[in-house]
Amino acid sequence: LFNRADVVVLPYLTATGSAVVSLAYNYNKPIIATEVGGLKDVVKRNVTGWLVSPESPDELAEVINSLKTYRFSEMKNNIKNYKKTKNWENHSRSIVTFLSSLTN
């Protein structure tokens, strides 16, 4: 399903996060999401996707309609670069660095 999609739309009213974001990024798919919970932290506006206000179907429709002329290749490259920095190796390195700073 992700391979066939151009974008992934997550019109949540509330959320703490979503594993669907990770799945979409795994397939280099941009995301249209509502600006709620952790979604606003992992969807980078106009870099890896678009953020819209929750409970705003008009704003969501406007973004979806604007995609007719959008070139996805640049955003897919942005997602690939984002994934290079947001991986388990870098995450675990940050944790070790943080824990080391507590013992010094």
Side-chain angles (χ1 to χ4, degrees), residues 3-48:
N3 275 334
R4 296 189 60 139
D6 291 321
V7 298
V8 175
V9 181
L10 306 174
Y12 298 158
L13 296 177
T14 62
T16 54
S18 176
V20 179
V21 173
S22 296
L23 281 170
Y25 284 169
N26 182 62
Y27 290 93
N28 300 315
K29 300 300 178 179
I31 296 169
I32 301 171
T34 47
E35 198 167 8
V36 296
L39 296 176
K40 62 182 176 268
D41 298 325
V42 293
V43 178
K44 304 302 176 195
R45 188 182 305 274
N46 299 319
V47 176
T48 63

Side-chain angles (χ1 to χ4, degrees), residues 8-103:
V8 175
V9 181
L10 306 174
Y12 298 158
L13 296 177
T14 62
T16 54
S18 176
V20 179
V21 173
S22 296
L23 281 170
Y25 284 169
N26 182 62
Y27 290 93
N28 300 315
K29 300 300 178 179
I31 296 169
I32 301 171
T34 47
E35 198 167 8
V36 296
L39 296 176
K40 62 182 176 268
D41 298 325
V42 293
V43 178
K44 304 302 176 195
R45 188 182 305 274
N46 299 319
V47 176
T48 63
W50 300 266
L51 292 167
V52 299
S53 302
E55 299 187 42
S56 180
D58 291 338
E59 189 177 352
L60 180 61
E62 184 179 315
V63 171
I64 291 171
N65 285 332
S66 74
L67 298 180
K68 292 176 190 170
T69 59
Y70 191 80
R71 291 182 23 197
F72 293 102
S73 59
E74 181 181 344
M75 193 162 284
K76 288 180 180 185
N77 286 330
N78 292 342
I79 293 167
K80 288 176 186 177
N81 290 331
Y82 179 79
K83 289 188 310 187
K84 288 177 186 176
T85 62
K86 302 296 181 187
N87 59 41
W88 282 111
E89 183 178 338
N90 288 338
H91 184 65
S92 60
R93 188 177 302 122
S94 296
I95 291 170
V96 169
T97 300
F98 171 72
L99 292 174
S100 295
S101 73
L102 296 177
T103 59

